[in-house]
Amino acid sequence: MQLVGMSIVLVALFFPYVFASVDTYTLSHEEEQILRSNGIIKKSKTIKGTNIKEAIAIGLINARPSVVWNVITDYSNYKDFMPRTAKSEVTDIIGDTVYFFSELDMPLPMPNVSYEIALRHDKKRLVIDFNLVPGTGRNVKQLRGNWKLKPYGQ
């Protein structure tokens, strides 16, 4: 079994300091209530005209943006706090781009997944865009996404 493709948009809400959202995504009143009760909004859909799944996750985090930035860019330690991550290591840094290898321990019957991604940091805008490094994915053909951090309510 091989994962055909995946587009991930990872976003986090920081209360009271930071709100992260997909640029075109507006929270409903019900979703606001879920977030305020420490919930996480998770959605997925198939990208029109493809068999690629897109996932969106939005959550509230009570922390300053700089603190959250430091956590989400601590790639070598993802194995210690990111679900299913068995191995995580930075393989190279070139300018504002970090190359990161990760191996995921997937539940049966899914095969384990490994890949290297290039993550481009835009610290001024608090955005990290990432893409699969061609030829590095095991049991994944496509992987791209981003983290977007924004003040809550903006």
Side-chain angles (χ1 to χ4, degrees):
M1 175 190 272
Q2 191 168 48
L3 297 175
V4 174
M6 175 182 333
S7 173
I8 300 177
V9 179
L10 303 170
V11 294
L13 295 161
F14 306 91
F15 180 77
Y17 303 108
V18 178
F19 171 75
S21 70
V22 179
D23 293 331
T24 59
Y25 191 81
T26 303
L27 295 173
S28 69
H29 177 72
E30 180 180 298
E31 289 170 328
E32 287 269 358
Q33 297 303 319
I34 290 169
L35 291 174
R36 290 181 184 278
S37 64
N38 294 321
I40 296 175
I41 306 295
K42 295 180 272 185
K43 296 184 176 233
S44 67
K45 67 178 183 176
T46 300
I47 297 174
K48 190 174 183 173
T50 73
N51 58 352
I52 298 172
K53 296 281 188 183
E54 177 180 61
I56 298 171
I58 303 171
L60 271 162
I61 301 171
N62 187 8
R64 294 193 179 278
S66 60
V67 172
V68 177
W69 182 269
N70 289 339
V71 171
I72 65 174
T73 59
D74 188 10
Y75 306 115
S76 291
N77 287 311
Y78 271 24
K79 65 188 175 302
D80 299 327
F81 65 89
M82 292 294 270
R84 303 212 173 279
T85 303
K87 184 174 183 179
S88 57
E89 66 181 65
V90 171
T91 58
D92 203 358
I93 300 173
I94 302 171
D96 63 357
T97 302
V98 175
Y99 292 85
F100 165 70
F101 175 82
S102 186
E103 187 172 301
L104 306 179
D105 186 14
M106 303 302 289
L108 291 174
M110 296 178 67
N112 288 345
V113 171
S114 65
Y115 52 83
E116 184 175 14
I117 54 176
L119 302 108
R120 186 167 186 281
H121 294 181
D122 184 340
K123 193 167 184 178
K124 183 177 180 179
R125 291 180 36 238
L126 294 174
V127 173
I128 300 169
D129 292 306
F130 57 88
N131 289 289
L132 180 69
V133 174
T136 67
R138 185 185 74 186
N139 296 321
V140 62
K141 289 183 179 179
Q142 186 178 56
L143 177 61
R144 70 173 188 252
N146 57 54
W147 293 89
K148 294 183 180 185
L149 314 177
K150 295 183 182 179
Y152 182 68
Q154 291 187 2

